[in-house]
Amino acid sequence: MRPLLPPLLALLSAGSALAYVPVLNAALLQSAFSEGQHLAENRDSGYPLKAYTLYAVPETLKLEPQNGTVDAVTIGTPYERTRYESFLSKYGEDPVTPQQARQRAELPDYGVEFIVFAHGLRPDDQTFLDHFSAARLRLGNVNLRPVATQKSEVSLSSYPRTVGETGFRFTGTVTYRFQLPRNLTAAKGTLSFTDASGKAFTLPVNLALYR
């Protein structure tokens, strides 16, 4: 069982990133592992995702209809996902080696994934993740389809700054995973999908910005 982490607002705190690396050598593997271990030492700060965030609503604690059902979209890379698994292991007091953290990341070399943080349309809506469309990643002139799409379980969350209602919604994630052609690991493009409300998203992607 994975440890309970701080809310989305904490996850979008600051962090650093560099250009996408499709394959982690020994030095980068150790770097990702060490970063994750260090980040978990401060249990109140959460896991930093700001540097890996493609999109976030202006106010993560407030529901606004014009935003649809998406709160944020982040990008996962072999480096970042390995760092995250190292963070989880330290946070949950479940020691792993760097190699085990890389395996737990479940993101192959030349892989990239986009994690959509979302909420239901209504307080009782628990099926909203089923109403997200397939995604398309366009890099250069190449259209890529996901090799896998994963939907998390949902849990109840609060948006306490919501006006006119209590602000409770079930929340969860949709993860779109892609395999990159070797000539597109530094490419620019867009990620496109439609959320549970029917709102269409087309988000800029620049792989050179994310280690």
Side-chain angles (χ1 to χ4, degrees):
M1 181 175 180
R2 294 198 167 192
L4 181 65
L5 296 176
L8 178 62
L9 185 64
L11 298 182
L12 297 180
S13 58
S16 61
L18 295 171
Y20 175 84
V21 179
V23 182
L24 301 186
N25 60 25
L28 284 172
L29 177 60
Q30 184 60 50
S31 176
F33 179 80
S34 297
E35 278 191 39
Q37 297 286 294
H38 176 71
L39 289 168
E41 291 176 359
N42 186 346
R43 301 181 68 85
D44 296 327
S45 296
Y47 179 75
L49 276 174
K50 186 174 182 179
Y52 291 90
T53 299
L54 273 68
Y55 166 85
V57 295
E59 175 55 80
T60 59
L61 297 179
K62 183 179 181 181
L63 295 170
E64 297 186 280
Q66 67 270 22
N67 292 333
T69 63
V70 174
D71 294 321
V73 181
T74 64
I75 184 171
T77 66
Y79 186 95
E80 184 276 326
R81 291 288 86 187
T82 301
R83 185 184 76 160
Y84 178 65
E85 290 297 335
S86 172
F87 171 90
L88 284 183
S89 73
K90 180 77 170 181
Y91 196 95
E93 300 180 351
D94 177 25
V96 297
T97 66
Q99 291 76 17
Q100 288 171 326
R102 179 72 188 96
Q103 291 171 354
R104 288 188 181 186
E106 296 183 344
L107 184 64
D109 294 346
Y110 290 90
V112 66
E113 61 186 25
F114 298 91
I115 305 167
V116 181
F117 295 82
H119 61 265
L121 287 164
R122 302 169 306 280
D124 62 346
D125 181 9
Q126 299 186 48
T127 64
F128 58 98
L129 297 179
D130 295 332
H131 301 291
F132 273 72
S133 73
R136 182 185 72 176
L137 178 61
R138 183 173 177 82
L139 294 175
N141 294 318
V142 179
N143 288 319
L144 301 175
R145 299 292 181 182
V147 295
T149 300
Q150 297 178 328
K151 300 169 185 175
S152 73
E153 296 182 357
V154 300
S155 60
L156 191 62
S157 297
S158 175
Y159 296 78
R161 296 180 184 171
T162 300
V163 177
E165 61 157 290
T166 57
F168 286 101
R169 291 292 187 278
F170 284 92
T171 60
T173 61
V174 178
T175 300
Y176 300 110
R177 183 173 295 167
F178 298 84
Q179 280 300 113
L180 300 176
R182 291 175 180 254
N183 64 332
L184 292 177
T185 58
K188 297 179 182 180
T190 57
L191 174 73
S192 302
F193 64 91
T194 301
D195 77 0
S197 74
K199 181 179 174 66
F201 288 81
T202 299
L203 307 176
V205 175
N206 181 355
L207 294 175
L209 299 179
Y210 310 103
R211 172 180 275 184

